[in-house]
Amino acid sequence: MSELPSGVRLVDWGDLRRLTPISSVWGLDRGRPLDRYYIENFLERNRADITGRVLEVKDPGYTDRYGVGVTQADVLDINPSNQRATIVADLTKAGGIPSDTFDCFVFTQTLHQIFDIRSALSHVQRILKPGGVLLCTVPSVSRVDSHYEGGGSDESDFWRFTEAAVRGLFAEFFPVASFEISRFGNVLTCAAFLYGLAPEELTREELDFVDPWFPLLFCVRAVKPVAGE
């Protein structure tokens, strides 16, 4: 191994000098996954959008926690064994879901697990009511998801995103002026997330610092236009 250039000191890796993560379950055994700090802050800021008839994937946890004036909470899942699901459908083939149905779709950390993301977003836009709001989060940095019924394969984890990709993708289905993208994270939070650390192990200043060159995830608030606007 070659030596470092003169004057460059070795980094003290400490507990991080290891070939396996500190937590193999996203930090759940240490508190909560670090990316949820950003996701939950995003939903908190936009909780007024989570109203009326709301759709969420797999369970209504965020709808129940952040919803305001929710009249009906629906749960979408491709798995018919999910007893909490009120709608069983593949979002890429969701023609059976009526158009203009939902006031809000809480769509967190799911799009990257769908191979045909354009078909999925096309249906997402279609089933929102005019004026309805999509609250979507996607990862830029993440370990490969191994929590599948198939026993730990990576066959349902397809994508990671850059801001340019998110902007271009959403512009195919929403007018540019109707959506906004928020980025979160920095090199420290990216590393901490990959190691499986919980957000409580970093300071608020470390968590809230945003480095555009090292995003951890993106959050998108998109509004379906009303006809004539």
Side-chain angles (χ1 to χ4, degrees):
M1 180 182 298
S2 60
E3 295 183 355
L4 289 172
S6 176
V8 177
R9 69 177 181 83
L10 288 171
V11 169
D12 181 4
W13 284 89
D15 291 340
L16 301 185
R17 194 178 192 100
R18 51 189 295 147
L19 300 180
T20 57
I22 292 172
S23 168
S24 61
V25 289
W26 309 88
L28 282 167
D29 52 350
R30 304 177 70 82
R32 57 177 171 156
L34 192 145
D35 63 344
R36 291 189 187 177
Y37 172 81
Y38 301 115
I39 295 166
E40 291 166 5
N41 284 350
F42 170 69
L43 295 177
E44 174 67 38
R45 289 200 309 272
N46 294 286
R47 67 186 311 159
D49 295 322
I50 308 173
T51 190
R53 187 172 182 184
V54 180
L55 182 63
E56 191 170 347
V57 177
K58 287 196 175 180
D59 68 71
Y62 285 144
T63 303
D64 293 342
R65 181 172 175 181
Y66 296 105
V68 178
V70 175
T71 57
Q72 182 172 334
D74 283 290
V75 173
L76 172 70
D77 200 338
I78 196 172
N79 184 355
S81 67
N82 182 354
Q83 297 184 356
R84 307 195 72 175
T86 61
I87 301 172
V88 176
D90 179 341
L91 196 52
T92 67
K93 305 171 184 177
I97 304 176
S99 301
D100 304 331
T101 297
F102 300 100
D103 296 287
C104 182
F105 189 174
V106 178
F107 194 41
T108 57
Q109 303 302 88
T110 301
L111 189 62
H112 69 289
Q113 296 180 337
I114 300 173
F115 184 74
D116 189 354
I117 52 179
R118 286 182 169 83
S119 290
L121 276 179
S122 175
H123 283 291
V124 167
Q125 193 271 358
R126 179 184 61 79
I127 65 179
L128 282 171
K129 292 179 181 178
V133 179
L134 169 65
L135 300 175
C136 178
T137 71
V138 295
S140 180
V141 170
S142 179
R143 60 160 290 174
V144 174
D145 193 344
S146 61
H147 295 82
Y148 300 114
E149 294 176 3
S153 74
D154 60 355
E155 295 179 357
S156 296
D157 191 353
F158 298 106
W159 308 109
R160 300 294 181 268
F161 296 87
T162 64
E163 184 169 352
V166 174
R167 192 172 303 281
L169 181 64
F170 274 77
E172 294 182 23
F173 304 98
F174 295 88
V176 172
S178 73
F179 68 87
E180 55 188 19
I181 303 169
S182 302
R183 71 170 81 91
F184 300 95
N186 54 69
V187 68
L188 175 62
T189 59
C190 286
F193 185 47
L194 291 175
Y195 274 107
L197 300 183
E200 290 74 18
E201 297 178 90
L202 278 69
T203 68
R204 179 66 63 87
E205 291 74 20
E206 290 168 338
L207 289 165
D208 291 346
F209 178 74
V210 178
D211 186 337
W213 303 113
F214 294 93
L216 177 62
L217 83 162
F218 298 100
C219 298
V220 184
R221 180 185 183 272
V223 182
K224 181 174 178 175
V226 176
E229 291 187 355

